[in-house]
Amino acid sequence: MLITEFLNALEMVVPLTAVGYARDAIGLQVGLPNSTALTDALFAYEVTDPVISEARNRKANLIVAFHPLIFPSVDAITDRTRTGHLIRELIKNEIALYVQHTAFDTHPEFGTSILMAEALGLSNITTLTKISSNVQLQTNAVLFGMGAMGTWSKEKAQSDVLKTVAETFRSTFVRHNAVALENIRTVAMVGGAGMDYYDAARSLGADAFITADVRYHDFHRADHDNILLIDAGHAETERFVTRGMVKAAQKSLEFSKVLPKAVNLHDSDTKQLILLAESEPNAVQYYCHK
């Protein structure tokens, strides 16, 4: 099977047209010739030197990453920048790079925030905001969107919510505002940097909003709105992403069976076709002063 055939099948489940951020850098960022056969595909959170080494050692000639490597663009490909260095490493090792990012975020089944809500044990989970148009998946119109919202069966005390969030996302630190409801039941969230969706969460009656990369003055804003605003960390809130991407890829292999003129994705070595990266990068480290 060719890399291009694999990516075409993948896009039937995670379509690039469902991008959640219009200026996002998604799709094929480093390519190989169209006639290149796929050995294995390594699914990773983002591209780093250890991830490239892992792909090479596991004989994968395609990395499917969540975070873009090239964003928004590059002026030169040299070792003077991290991006240039990693692009050179991919090319030298003949490894292609494909990025899903906010096209994956918006997925109604596997999306980043949906996975967060499920991990928190919420029920009645819905998408926080729909993207501008529906995306055709096979013959059915499926609503894609950013963020998620759900409820616990019983209210939780604010301290219990903070503990649950920290444990679920393995957050070293959880930042939050001072003034909020003492009892929380309805929770909205956007994995990664999601403060652009705070107003949507507030308008829909969320008691708490979980995201990352929150600015100082936004906590004051949440105090005024009487909403518990939680910053659980960027990579931390996206910790379920790569496993979700693998599940979506597995579904694409199954889904391909019913596609007209489907390519044969079910070779004898299909079980080894999709690899989950062992490396879990996090650019942010924490120092605890006692």
Side-chain angles (χ1 to χ4, degrees):
M1 177 183 30
L2 303 181
I3 289 177
T4 52
E5 292 173 327
F6 178 78
L7 295 179
N8 286 340
L10 189 58
E11 287 181 26
M12 295 304 298
V13 175
V14 185
L16 298 184
T17 52
V19 62
Y21 174 56
R23 291 180 290 175
D24 202 1
I26 57 174
L28 194 63
Q29 293 203 331
V30 176
L32 296 175
N34 288 339
S35 59
T36 303
L38 176 67
T39 55
D40 287 313
L42 181 71
F43 284 73
Y45 180 57
E46 59 193 10
V47 178
T48 61
D49 281 310
V51 168
I52 294 175
S53 296
E54 183 178 347
R56 181 179 62 244
N57 294 337
R58 297 176 73 179
K59 312 301 182 186
N61 64 348
L62 171 66
I63 294 174
V64 179
F66 177 67
H67 277 164
L69 174 59
I70 302 171
F71 182 83
S73 61
V74 292
D75 297 323
I77 301 175
T78 71
D79 283 339
R80 294 184 62 183
T81 66
R82 171 184 177 274
T83 300
H85 162 72
L86 292 172
I87 292 173
R88 280 169 47 81
E89 288 300 307
L90 289 168
I91 294 171
K92 283 192 296 183
N93 288 282
E94 296 188 319
I95 298 172
L97 171 63
Y98 180 88
V99 173
Q100 291 185 316
H101 204 211
T102 61
F104 178 82
D105 279 336
T106 65
H107 199 281
E109 181 180 356
F110 305 107
T112 304
S113 302
I114 298 294
L115 297 176
M116 289 175 64
E118 291 174 347
L120 288 168
L122 297 172
S123 57
N124 303 315
I125 300 170
T126 60
T127 299
L128 186 60
T129 61
K130 306 295 189 294
I131 58 175
S132 58
S133 61
N134 293 347
V135 179
Q136 288 296 128
L137 181 60
Q138 198 176 5
T139 59
N140 299 319
V142 179
L143 287 174
F144 287 63
M146 289 293 290
M149 190 165 176
T151 58
W152 280 303
S153 57
K154 296 181 180 179
E155 290 183 344
K156 285 181 179 286
Q158 185 182 133
S159 58
D160 290 336
V161 172
L162 295 172
K163 181 181 179 182
T164 298
V165 168
E167 290 177 348
T168 300
F169 304 118
R170 298 180 184 174
S171 303
T172 303
F173 291 103
V174 171
R175 300 194 301 149
H176 63 94
N177 59 314
V179 180
L181 296 172
E182 281 301 319
N183 296 301
I184 308 294
R185 187 178 183 193
T186 302
V187 185
M189 66 216 68
V190 174
M195 277 305 293
D196 286 348
Y197 301 92
Y198 171 84
D199 285 338
R202 184 169 69 91
S203 66
L204 290 172
D207 301 325
F209 182 61
I210 306 168
T211 189
D213 303 344
V214 178
R215 298 175 302 179
Y216 176 85
H217 291 285
D218 286 327
F219 290 109
H220 279 314
R221 181 181 172 193
D223 281 347
H224 176 269
D225 297 333
N226 203 30
I227 291 178
L228 179 59
L229 176 59
I230 302 175
D231 184 334
H234 193 113
E236 289 81 358
T237 57
E238 295 175 338
R239 65 177 293 255
F240 304 108
V241 160
T242 48
R243 286 172 176 79
M245 290 166 60
V246 165
K247 288 181 180 178
Q250 291 169 333
K251 184 172 182 177
S252 75
L253 298 185
E254 299 167 3
F255 187 60
S256 67
K257 291 180 180 178
V258 298
L259 288 176
K261 301 180 180 178
V263 296
N264 177 19
L265 299 180
H266 300 273
D267 301 323
S268 59
D269 61 345
T270 296
K271 291 182 179 179
Q272 285 74 45
L273 195 63
I274 300 171
L275 307 175
L276 176 65
E278 296 173 358
S279 176
E280 296 182 352
N282 188 344
V284 179
Q285 301 297 298
Y286 300 94
Y287 170 76
C288 299
H289 178 67
K290 297 180 179 179

